[in-house]
Amino acid sequence: MKITFKLNGKTVQVEAPSDASLLWTLRERLELTGTKFGCGAALCGACTVHLDGIPTRACITPLSMVSRRSVTTIEGLSEDQSHPLQKAWVEAQVPQCGYCQSGQIMQAAALLENTKNPSREQIVAYMNGVICRCGTYTRIIKAIEMAAKER
Amino acid sequence: MKALSHTRQALSRRQFLTAAGGITFVITASSLVPRSLFGESPDQPVSGEDKSINAWVHISPDGKITIYNPAAEMGQGSMTALPVLVAEEMDADWSMVQIEYSPIEPSVYGAGGRRGGGRMMTVGSWAVSGYFDNLRHAGAQVRYVLLANAAEKWEVPVESLTTEPGVVVHEASGKRMTYGEIASFARIPDEIPEIPMEKMKSPDRFRLIGKVMPRYDIPAKTDGSAQFAMDVVLPDMVYGVIARAPVNGARPELLNEQDLRKMPGVVDVVLLEYGVGIVTESIETAFSAQNKIQINWTGSPKAEGHNSEADLETYPGLLDRREGRFNRIAENGDAEDGLNTAARTYTFDYRNDYVYHAQMEPLNAVVALSPDGQSADVWAGTQAPDGARSAAARALGLDRSRVNFHPCYLGGGFGRRSMSDYVEEAAILAKAVKKPLKLIWTREDDVQYGAFRPMSLQRMQAGVDQSGNLTAWKHQIVGTGGGLLASGAENPYYTIPNLRIEVLNVDHGVRTKHWRAVGHGPNKYAIEAFIDEIALGEGRDPYAFRRELMKNSPRALKVLDKVAKMSDWDARPREGRARGMAFAERSGSLAGGVCEISVDRESGQIRVHHFWVAIDGGTIVQPDNARAQTEGCIVMGLSSVLTERITFVDGKVQQSNFNDYEILRIADAPESIEVEFIPSTEDPAGLGEAGLPVVGGAVANAFRALTGKRLLHMPFTPDRVLEVLNG
Ligand code: FES
Ligand code: FES
């Protein structure tokens, strides 16, 4: 099938098998590998992207579902690591292995879009679907609070 | 060169290297120039004498310094910490430093002592400690060469020169020359002396070691550009998945090969000893084909009889009957006699289930055979690049020198990536189809064909004298996993006159493996929970009781006192909360931990509010990273202590993904984790695991203090907590 959608602000068209998922199309066909595969079952959040602005698990999103819609991935969050969250992530030295962090940042970005100054409780509730095995949680909270302040 | 003549240990071979655009120098063996510089294979045979060669640094005339990192980067920060050691002694300007992976050549880039040449494996938290001397010395040698060249150029004695970051300075004349300028004319002398220890920087002159500085790899981990092996995409690449034996050791008999081959997009079906591989054009097809594989599993593997819950309950009987071969790992005085003559004795059994690594990046590797089949490129995130390369070479039928190994970031390692099974598998499939191939383990594969931290039972026995002094100690460990069981069973920081520690290994035929701090998790839990038990039994404060046991260990005492102070141990926590303390050593680091918990008596959920950790890790090379590692240890430790368990029924792993193998999420992380390091100028110890072993004991002890009840089986799941509370 041929699917057209907006990816990080640009219209793209991909040819993919009918069972193609958004996650693997991004990663293997469009070579935007910042979006990660962690569980394939909407359990870990590593694959989080924005679909029309809503944080969405790409692993369980069929490619056909994004037709004519708008997808933002970590690569599209900013051109130059200048999103307040990316800056805060460096400032607070959040990532360890880094594998979960695209998902963490995309989930957090959606939070800050809707909630200017999230409380700690709001942060924790909103971020709970994204697992970090390395245990960077306390720094994630700190970085989100820093970014919210900067905005 | 006069200045260079006072050689003790000379380097054997070196050379000028002329690169396009100017002369650069590389302190290196003639044939061991890292590939990334000159496009050559790094794998020329190395003669014995090359061992002493410094192959760590490349300086370009424009002042850029490349330092080669020999360690895996799995989030623990070694790729920054190790180059910092080199940069410190060479007095490099850190802003000019770039870091590349070193070639996979253990004889040159292995860890260990001044000369290195040991293993190239990132395990056991010893990257920094293992490379500390070696890399500082390498940096000092580079500085020596730079100074010597400047001295010759200026015709001044080398002793009259000093360095500032990236610059050689002649104070008397005010002349300055940057390292880049020197590199443009530098000659590598025939003899580079060993730099004696006293000529190395004293800690008060450190500019980089011990300073808070950002990790090199972090920016790329905020925009998706950091490359994991999973992210390698090659032209015409195909995908591989494998259906592996659900019971370890079972043999597959494939029932529907023809149907599979007929599936659109299936490239090949490959039979393995323990599974069936499918190679497909798209990854989605790989997953759906994997689900369609029909296999009759044959053989009667040992693991088939393994039912973990029932088998764990056979362990006490094995101890009662002293059945099997006990391996004595420590003996002091006479433990039996000590127990027999004690005024009072204590005994408890502590249990723990298997745990799974759950590194966020499922196992994977990419292998591309050259068109002529005579060489191959391999991409993998691995803690053991040398082993992984050899495994791939064997599978491909190539000499290892024909395998170009591309180390990638690891999306977590924790011990699992010190095995090379996934790299070997990718090589087998790639060889079968003669196409570039990416092998992916699904999360289900990763869980079900995992290699787990062993299940075990710890029988603790102790005796005290009339005045409540601990005089006898017997610790017996039963479990499956051989040597993995023993780690952390000893605690040389507690003085106990009569002591015996024994391990009984029971082989259930399942796969076990190191898991962050390995046996330290279960062993320290048992030891520390038991220590509290004795202390309370003797009417003593657990902190005071430990202090007494540590009377001959000033270093340990300091750590314990520190954490007691940080957590305000003597203050009463607020209503509904309690604190627990634990102490542990791991990889040379000493850690004291205190946590504060509450318990939801309806649900059985333990909530850990705060964690305080004090660590003596010797010289802390990267303080903020060391802190991050400790925070990670507490969170991962809590995850294993509160929720994680793998169970086997008839040899089959019962869990499959994060729905039934839950790991700690942000809502369950402590509100605060405070970490402090004891100031020290001793050599660095390991910090990647040091915080983890205190978690089990601290939580169990807090629970005991809060409820008066004992948690005797890790993990402390809500079910178990309720059972204990209501029991
Ligand atoms: S990979 Fe999509 S939620 Fe885990
Ligand atoms: S940084 Fe490793 S999983 Fe989050």
Side-chain angles (χ1 to χ4, degrees), chain A residues 131 133, chain B residues 354-358 447 452 515 639-640 643-647 655-663:
Chain A
I131 293 174
R133 180 47 149 177
Chain B
Y354 294 101
V355 299
Y356 154 63
H357 296 89
V447 174
F452 309 110
W515 183 102
S639 186
S640 66
T643 64
E644 294 181 38
R645 66 191 292 250
I646 289 286
T647 51
Q655 293 71 24
S656 63
N657 205 323
F658 295 128
N659 55 332
D660 49 16
Y661 191 87
E662 290 190 52
I663 62 181

PDB file of all heavy atoms in Angstrom, chain A residues 131 133, chain B residues 354-358 447 452 515 639-640 643-647 655-663:
ATOM      1  N   ILE A 131       8.640   3.405  30.468  1.00  0.00           N
ATOM      2  CA  ILE A 131       9.561   2.727  31.386  1.00  0.00           C
ATOM      3  C   ILE A 131      10.999   3.169  31.140  1.00  0.00           C
ATOM      4  O   ILE A 131      11.414   3.325  29.993  1.00  0.00           O
ATOM      5  CB  ILE A 131       9.483   1.196  31.174  1.00  0.00           C
ATOM      6  CG1 ILE A 131       8.112   0.659  31.599  1.00  0.00           C
ATOM      7  CG2 ILE A 131      10.598   0.477  31.934  1.00  0.00           C
ATOM      8  CD1 ILE A 131       7.924  -0.821  31.288  1.00  0.00           C
ATOM      9  N   ARG A 133      14.478   1.499  32.317  1.00  0.00           N
ATOM     10  CA  ARG A 133      15.130   0.435  33.065  1.00  0.00           C
ATOM     11  C   ARG A 133      16.367   0.935  33.808  1.00  0.00           C
ATOM     12  O   ARG A 133      16.732   0.403  34.853  1.00  0.00           O
ATOM     13  CB  ARG A 133      15.509  -0.695  32.103  1.00  0.00           C
ATOM     14  CG  ARG A 133      16.198  -1.870  32.773  1.00  0.00           C
ATOM     15  CD  ARG A 133      15.486  -2.324  34.019  1.00  0.00           C
ATOM     16  NE  ARG A 133      15.624  -3.762  34.275  1.00  0.00           N
ATOM     17  CZ  ARG A 133      15.122  -4.340  35.354  1.00  0.00           C
ATOM     18  NH1 ARG A 133      14.449  -3.615  36.253  1.00  0.00           N
ATOM     19  NH2 ARG A 133      15.261  -5.642  35.524  1.00  0.00           N
TER      20      ARG A 133
ATOM     21  N   TYR B 354      13.902 -15.869  40.520  1.00  0.00           N
ATOM     22  CA  TYR B 354      14.718 -15.455  39.364  1.00  0.00           C
ATOM     23  C   TYR B 354      14.344 -14.030  38.954  1.00  0.00           C
ATOM     24  O   TYR B 354      13.175 -13.640  39.057  1.00  0.00           O
ATOM     25  CB  TYR B 354      14.403 -16.333  38.153  1.00  0.00           C
ATOM     26  CG  TYR B 354      14.794 -17.786  38.259  1.00  0.00           C
ATOM     27  CD1 TYR B 354      13.837 -18.754  38.551  1.00  0.00           C
ATOM     28  CD2 TYR B 354      16.097 -18.193  38.017  1.00  0.00           C
ATOM     29  CE1 TYR B 354      14.173 -20.102  38.619  1.00  0.00           C
ATOM     30  CE2 TYR B 354      16.444 -19.543  38.078  1.00  0.00           C
ATOM     31  CZ  TYR B 354      15.486 -20.489  38.377  1.00  0.00           C
ATOM     32  OH  TYR B 354      15.821 -21.817  38.433  1.00  0.00           O
ATOM     33  N   VAL B 355      15.298 -13.274  38.482  1.00  0.00           N
ATOM     34  CA  VAL B 355      14.962 -11.997  37.839  1.00  0.00           C
ATOM     35  C   VAL B 355      15.605 -11.904  36.455  1.00  0.00           C
ATOM     36  O   VAL B 355      16.614 -12.548  36.177  1.00  0.00           O
ATOM     37  CB  VAL B 355      15.335 -10.757  38.691  1.00  0.00           C
ATOM     38  CG1 VAL B 355      14.607 -10.753  40.016  1.00  0.00           C
ATOM     39  CG2 VAL B 355      16.831 -10.643  38.889  1.00  0.00           C
ATOM     40  N   TYR B 356      14.986 -11.094  35.652  1.00  0.00           N
ATOM     41  CA  TYR B 356      15.323 -10.950  34.223  1.00  0.00           C
ATOM     42  C   TYR B 356      15.952  -9.581  33.988  1.00  0.00           C
ATOM     43  O   TYR B 356      15.606  -8.614  34.660  1.00  0.00           O
ATOM     44  CB  TYR B 356      14.018 -11.131  33.428  1.00  0.00           C
ATOM     45  CG  TYR B 356      13.933 -10.475  32.082  1.00  0.00           C
ATOM     46  CD1 TYR B 356      14.794 -10.849  31.045  1.00  0.00           C
ATOM     47  CD2 TYR B 356      12.964  -9.499  31.822  1.00  0.00           C
ATOM     48  CE1 TYR B 356      14.677 -10.257  29.798  1.00  0.00           C
ATOM     49  CE2 TYR B 356      12.845  -8.919  30.579  1.00  0.00           C
ATOM     50  CZ  TYR B 356      13.712  -9.295  29.563  1.00  0.00           C
ATOM     51  OH  TYR B 356      13.603  -8.705  28.330  1.00  0.00           O
ATOM     52  N   HIS B 357      16.849  -9.490  33.024  1.00  0.00           N
ATOM     53  CA  HIS B 357      17.584  -8.236  32.829  1.00  0.00           C
ATOM     54  C   HIS B 357      16.693  -7.074  32.385  1.00  0.00           C
ATOM     55  O   HIS B 357      16.853  -5.951  32.850  1.00  0.00           O
ATOM     56  CB  HIS B 357      18.684  -8.417  31.779  1.00  0.00           C
ATOM     57  CG  HIS B 357      19.739  -9.397  32.204  1.00  0.00           C
ATOM     58  ND1 HIS B 357      19.637 -10.745  31.947  1.00  0.00           N
ATOM     59  CD2 HIS B 357      20.891  -9.228  32.891  1.00  0.00           C
ATOM     60  CE1 HIS B 357      20.704 -11.359  32.449  1.00  0.00           C
ATOM     61  NE2 HIS B 357      21.474 -10.472  33.031  1.00  0.00           N
ATOM     62  N   ALA B 358      15.806  -7.351  31.449  1.00  0.00           N
ATOM     63  CA  ALA B 358      14.896  -6.315  30.967  1.00  0.00           C
ATOM     64  C   ALA B 358      15.611  -5.056  30.483  1.00  0.00           C
ATOM     65  O   ALA B 358      15.106  -3.950  30.629  1.00  0.00           O
ATOM     66  CB  ALA B 358      13.856  -5.957  32.034  1.00  0.00           C
ATOM     67  N   VAL B 447      12.469 -12.109  27.020  1.00  0.00           N
ATOM     68  CA  VAL B 447      12.056 -12.586  28.340  1.00  0.00           C
ATOM     69  C   VAL B 447      12.166 -14.105  28.395  1.00  0.00           C
ATOM     70  O   VAL B 447      12.772 -14.674  29.305  1.00  0.00           O
ATOM     71  CB  VAL B 447      10.588 -12.174  28.659  1.00  0.00           C
ATOM     72  CG1 VAL B 447      10.129 -12.807  29.970  1.00  0.00           C
ATOM     73  CG2 VAL B 447      10.451 -10.655  28.714  1.00  0.00           C
ATOM     74  N   PHE B 452      18.840 -15.765  33.588  1.00  0.00           N
ATOM     75  CA  PHE B 452      18.333 -15.038  34.744  1.00  0.00           C
ATOM     76  C   PHE B 452      19.275 -15.018  35.937  1.00  0.00           C
ATOM     77  O   PHE B 452      20.098 -15.919  36.102  1.00  0.00           O
ATOM     78  CB  PHE B 452      16.987 -15.626  35.159  1.00  0.00           C
ATOM     79  CG  PHE B 452      16.032 -15.729  34.000  1.00  0.00           C
ATOM     80  CD1 PHE B 452      15.678 -16.964  33.472  1.00  0.00           C
ATOM     81  CD2 PHE B 452      15.525 -14.569  33.407  1.00  0.00           C
ATOM     82  CE1 PHE B 452      14.825 -17.050  32.376  1.00  0.00           C
ATOM     83  CE2 PHE B 452      14.670 -14.651  32.311  1.00  0.00           C
ATOM     84  CZ  PHE B 452      14.323 -15.899  31.797  1.00  0.00           C
ATOM     85  N   TRP B 515      23.690 -10.550  36.641  1.00  0.00           N
ATOM     86  CA  TRP B 515      22.645  -9.526  36.541  1.00  0.00           C
ATOM     87  C   TRP B 515      23.096  -8.443  37.511  1.00  0.00           C
ATOM     88  O   TRP B 515      23.400  -8.767  38.663  1.00  0.00           O
ATOM     89  CB  TRP B 515      21.315 -10.146  36.971  1.00  0.00           C
ATOM     90  CG  TRP B 515      20.077  -9.316  36.885  1.00  0.00           C
ATOM     91  CD1 TRP B 515      19.111  -9.381  35.908  1.00  0.00           C
ATOM     92  CD2 TRP B 515      19.616  -8.336  37.834  1.00  0.00           C
ATOM     93  NE1 TRP B 515      18.098  -8.502  36.192  1.00  0.00           N
ATOM     94  CE2 TRP B 515      18.383  -7.845  37.370  1.00  0.00           C
ATOM     95  CE3 TRP B 515      20.129  -7.807  39.033  1.00  0.00           C
ATOM     96  CZ2 TRP B 515      17.644  -6.863  38.033  1.00  0.00           C
ATOM     97  CZ3 TRP B 515      19.404  -6.829  39.701  1.00  0.00           C
ATOM     98  CH2 TRP B 515      18.172  -6.373  39.203  1.00  0.00           C
ATOM     99  N   SER B 639      13.032  -2.158  41.915  1.00  0.00           N
ATOM    100  CA  SER B 639      12.220  -2.899  40.967  1.00  0.00           C
ATOM    101  C   SER B 639      12.363  -4.397  41.222  1.00  0.00           C
ATOM    102  O   SER B 639      11.371  -5.132  41.296  1.00  0.00           O
ATOM    103  CB  SER B 639      12.690  -2.537  39.553  1.00  0.00           C
ATOM    104  OG  SER B 639      11.857  -3.113  38.593  1.00  0.00           O
ATOM    105  N   SER B 640      13.592  -4.837  41.403  1.00  0.00           N
ATOM    106  CA  SER B 640      13.818  -6.274  41.620  1.00  0.00           C
ATOM    107  C   SER B 640      13.335  -6.711  42.996  1.00  0.00           C
ATOM    108  O   SER B 640      12.924  -7.847  43.185  1.00  0.00           O
ATOM    109  CB  SER B 640      15.307  -6.607  41.457  1.00  0.00           C
ATOM    110  OG  SER B 640      16.075  -5.983  42.472  1.00  0.00           O
ATOM    111  N   THR B 643       8.933  -6.069  42.727  1.00  0.00           N
ATOM    112  CA  THR B 643       7.988  -6.670  41.778  1.00  0.00           C
ATOM    113  C   THR B 643       8.523  -7.783  40.890  1.00  0.00           C
ATOM    114  O   THR B 643       7.748  -8.592  40.407  1.00  0.00           O
ATOM    115  CB  THR B 643       7.418  -5.603  40.808  1.00  0.00           C
ATOM    116  OG1 THR B 643       8.499  -5.100  40.018  1.00  0.00           O
ATOM    117  CG2 THR B 643       6.771  -4.465  41.532  1.00  0.00           C
ATOM    118  N   GLU B 644       9.813  -7.795  40.618  1.00  0.00           N
ATOM    119  CA  GLU B 644      10.259  -8.639  39.513  1.00  0.00           C
ATOM    120  C   GLU B 644      10.400 -10.110  39.891  1.00  0.00           C
ATOM    121  O   GLU B 644      11.090 -10.455  40.852  1.00  0.00           O
ATOM    122  CB  GLU B 644      11.610  -8.140  38.995  1.00  0.00           C
ATOM    123  CG  GLU B 644      11.519  -6.787  38.358  1.00  0.00           C
ATOM    124  CD  GLU B 644      12.860  -6.319  37.835  1.00  0.00           C
ATOM    125  OE1 GLU B 644      13.615  -7.157  37.310  1.00  0.00           O
ATOM    126  OE2 GLU B 644      13.148  -5.120  37.951  1.00  0.00           O
ATOM    127  N   ARG B 645       9.783 -10.960  39.117  1.00  0.00           N
ATOM    128  CA  ARG B 645      10.013 -12.396  39.305  1.00  0.00           C
ATOM    129  C   ARG B 645       9.717 -13.182  38.042  1.00  0.00           C
ATOM    130  O   ARG B 645       8.706 -12.997  37.386  1.00  0.00           O
ATOM    131  CB  ARG B 645       9.197 -12.940  40.485  1.00  0.00           C
ATOM    132  CG  ARG B 645       7.697 -12.936  40.317  1.00  0.00           C
ATOM    133  CD  ARG B 645       6.993 -13.239  41.631  1.00  0.00           C
ATOM    134  NE  ARG B 645       7.191 -14.581  42.108  1.00  0.00           N
ATOM    135  CZ  ARG B 645       6.226 -15.512  42.138  1.00  0.00           C
ATOM    136  NH1 ARG B 645       5.021 -15.239  41.675  1.00  0.00           N
ATOM    137  NH2 ARG B 645       6.477 -16.713  42.611  1.00  0.00           N
ATOM    138  N   ILE B 646      10.650 -14.055  37.733  1.00  0.00           N
ATOM    139  CA  ILE B 646      10.470 -15.025  36.652  1.00  0.00           C
ATOM    140  C   ILE B 646      10.161 -16.354  37.318  1.00  0.00           C
ATOM    141  O   ILE B 646      10.810 -16.733  38.293  1.00  0.00           O
ATOM    142  CB  ILE B 646      11.765 -15.153  35.816  1.00  0.00           C
ATOM    143  CG1 ILE B 646      12.010 -13.897  34.965  1.00  0.00           C
ATOM    144  CG2 ILE B 646      11.756 -16.415  34.955  1.00  0.00           C
ATOM    145  CD1 ILE B 646      11.104 -13.747  33.764  1.00  0.00           C
ATOM    146  N   THR B 647       9.148 -17.022  36.800  1.00  0.00           N
ATOM    147  CA  THR B 647       8.847 -18.356  37.322  1.00  0.00           C
ATOM    148  C   THR B 647       8.844 -19.360  36.166  1.00  0.00           C
ATOM    149  O   THR B 647       8.560 -19.002  35.029  1.00  0.00           O
ATOM    150  CB  THR B 647       7.469 -18.390  38.007  1.00  0.00           C
ATOM    151  OG1 THR B 647       6.493 -17.826  37.125  1.00  0.00           O
ATOM    152  CG2 THR B 647       7.480 -17.600  39.300  1.00  0.00           C
ATOM    153  N   GLN B 655       6.517 -15.763  32.114  1.00  0.00           N
ATOM    154  CA  GLN B 655       6.303 -14.352  31.807  1.00  0.00           C
ATOM    155  C   GLN B 655       6.725 -14.084  30.363  1.00  0.00           C
ATOM    156  O   GLN B 655       7.513 -14.845  29.793  1.00  0.00           O
ATOM    157  CB  GLN B 655       7.102 -13.466  32.773  1.00  0.00           C
ATOM    158  CG  GLN B 655       6.627 -13.520  34.224  1.00  0.00           C
ATOM    159  CD  GLN B 655       6.930 -14.839  34.936  1.00  0.00           C
ATOM    160  OE1 GLN B 655       7.859 -15.563  34.557  1.00  0.00           O
ATOM    161  NE2 GLN B 655       6.155 -15.164  35.949  1.00  0.00           N
ATOM    162  N   SER B 656       6.212 -12.975  29.795  1.00  0.00           N
ATOM    163  CA  SER B 656       6.550 -12.741  28.398  1.00  0.00           C
ATOM    164  C   SER B 656       6.800 -11.289  28.015  1.00  0.00           C
ATOM    165  O   SER B 656       7.462 -11.021  27.021  1.00  0.00           O
ATOM    166  CB  SER B 656       5.452 -13.316  27.504  1.00  0.00           C
ATOM    167  OG  SER B 656       4.246 -12.634  27.756  1.00  0.00           O
ATOM    168  N   ASN B 657       6.262 -10.365  28.760  1.00  0.00           N
ATOM    169  CA  ASN B 657       6.452  -8.961  28.356  1.00  0.00           C
ATOM    170  C   ASN B 657       6.220  -8.104  29.603  1.00  0.00           C
ATOM    171  O   ASN B 657       6.046  -8.640  30.708  1.00  0.00           O
ATOM    172  CB  ASN B 657       5.493  -8.601  27.207  1.00  0.00           C
ATOM    173  CG  ASN B 657       6.009  -7.429  26.349  1.00  0.00           C
ATOM    174  OD1 ASN B 657       6.611  -6.480  26.858  1.00  0.00           O
ATOM    175  ND2 ASN B 657       5.765  -7.497  25.058  1.00  0.00           N
ATOM    176  N   PHE B 658       6.182  -6.794  29.443  1.00  0.00           N
ATOM    177  CA  PHE B 658       6.098  -5.933  30.622  1.00  0.00           C
ATOM    178  C   PHE B 658       4.718  -5.937  31.283  1.00  0.00           C
ATOM    179  O   PHE B 658       4.521  -5.276  32.293  1.00  0.00           O
ATOM    180  CB  PHE B 658       6.502  -4.497  30.269  1.00  0.00           C
ATOM    181  CG  PHE B 658       7.950  -4.373  29.865  1.00  0.00           C
ATOM    182  CD1 PHE B 658       8.306  -3.750  28.688  1.00  0.00           C
ATOM    183  CD2 PHE B 658       8.947  -4.900  30.673  1.00  0.00           C
ATOM    184  CE1 PHE B 658       9.646  -3.640  28.316  1.00  0.00           C
ATOM    185  CE2 PHE B 658      10.290  -4.793  30.309  1.00  0.00           C
ATOM    186  CZ  PHE B 658      10.635  -4.160  29.126  1.00  0.00           C
ATOM    187  N   ASN B 659       3.771  -6.674  30.718  1.00  0.00           N
ATOM    188  CA  ASN B 659       2.486  -6.802  31.408  1.00  0.00           C
ATOM    189  C   ASN B 659       2.574  -7.803  32.552  1.00  0.00           C
ATOM    190  O   ASN B 659       2.034  -7.587  33.627  1.00  0.00           O
ATOM    191  CB  ASN B 659       1.371  -7.207  30.428  1.00  0.00           C
ATOM    192  CG  ASN B 659       1.725  -8.479  29.677  1.00  0.00           C
ATOM    193  OD1 ASN B 659       2.895  -8.780  29.460  1.00  0.00           O
ATOM    194  ND2 ASN B 659       0.723  -9.247  29.307  1.00  0.00           N
ATOM    195  N   ASP B 660       3.313  -8.890  32.310  1.00  0.00           N
ATOM    196  CA  ASP B 660       3.432  -9.878  33.387  1.00  0.00           C
ATOM    197  C   ASP B 660       4.828  -9.918  33.993  1.00  0.00           C
ATOM    198  O   ASP B 660       5.068 -10.644  34.954  1.00  0.00           O
ATOM    199  CB  ASP B 660       2.972 -11.277  32.926  1.00  0.00           C
ATOM    200  CG  ASP B 660       3.597 -11.688  31.604  1.00  0.00           C
ATOM    201  OD1 ASP B 660       4.594 -11.054  31.209  1.00  0.00           O
ATOM    202  OD2 ASP B 660       3.088 -12.624  30.973  1.00  0.00           O
ATOM    203  N   TYR B 661       5.744  -9.182  33.428  1.00  0.00           N
ATOM    204  CA  TYR B 661       7.032  -8.972  34.099  1.00  0.00           C
ATOM    205  C   TYR B 661       7.149  -7.461  34.293  1.00  0.00           C
ATOM    206  O   TYR B 661       7.697  -6.735  33.454  1.00  0.00           O
ATOM    207  CB  TYR B 661       8.218  -9.508  33.290  1.00  0.00           C
ATOM    208  CG  TYR B 661       9.484  -9.520  34.120  1.00  0.00           C
ATOM    209  CD1 TYR B 661       9.795 -10.607  34.928  1.00  0.00           C
ATOM    210  CD2 TYR B 661      10.342  -8.416  34.151  1.00  0.00           C
ATOM    211  CE1 TYR B 661      10.925 -10.609  35.733  1.00  0.00           C
ATOM    212  CE2 TYR B 661      11.474  -8.408  34.951  1.00  0.00           C
ATOM    213  CZ  TYR B 661      11.758  -9.506  35.741  1.00  0.00           C
ATOM    214  OH  TYR B 661      12.873  -9.497  36.532  1.00  0.00           O
ATOM    215  N   GLU B 662       6.580  -6.997  35.378  1.00  0.00           N
ATOM    216  CA  GLU B 662       6.515  -5.550  35.564  1.00  0.00           C
ATOM    217  C   GLU B 662       7.808  -5.028  36.135  1.00  0.00           C
ATOM    218  O   GLU B 662       8.375  -5.628  37.038  1.00  0.00           O
ATOM    219  CB  GLU B 662       5.359  -5.216  36.491  1.00  0.00           C
ATOM    220  CG  GLU B 662       4.027  -5.462  35.815  1.00  0.00           C
ATOM    221  CD  GLU B 662       2.869  -4.918  36.625  1.00  0.00           C
ATOM    222  OE1 GLU B 662       2.934  -3.726  37.006  1.00  0.00           O
ATOM    223  OE2 GLU B 662       1.949  -5.690  36.887  1.00  0.00           O
ATOM    224  N   ILE B 663       8.247  -3.913  35.604  1.00  0.00           N
ATOM    225  CA  ILE B 663       9.386  -3.263  36.230  1.00  0.00           C
ATOM    226  C   ILE B 663       8.954  -1.884  36.719  1.00  0.00           C
ATOM    227  O   ILE B 663       7.942  -1.347  36.289  1.00  0.00           O
ATOM    228  CB  ILE B 663      10.631  -3.223  35.329  1.00  0.00           C
ATOM    229  CG1 ILE B 663      10.393  -2.437  34.074  1.00  0.00           C
ATOM    230  CG2 ILE B 663      11.078  -4.617  34.974  1.00  0.00           C
ATOM    231  CD1 ILE B 663      11.624  -2.429  33.188  1.00  0.00           C
TER     232      ILE B 663
END
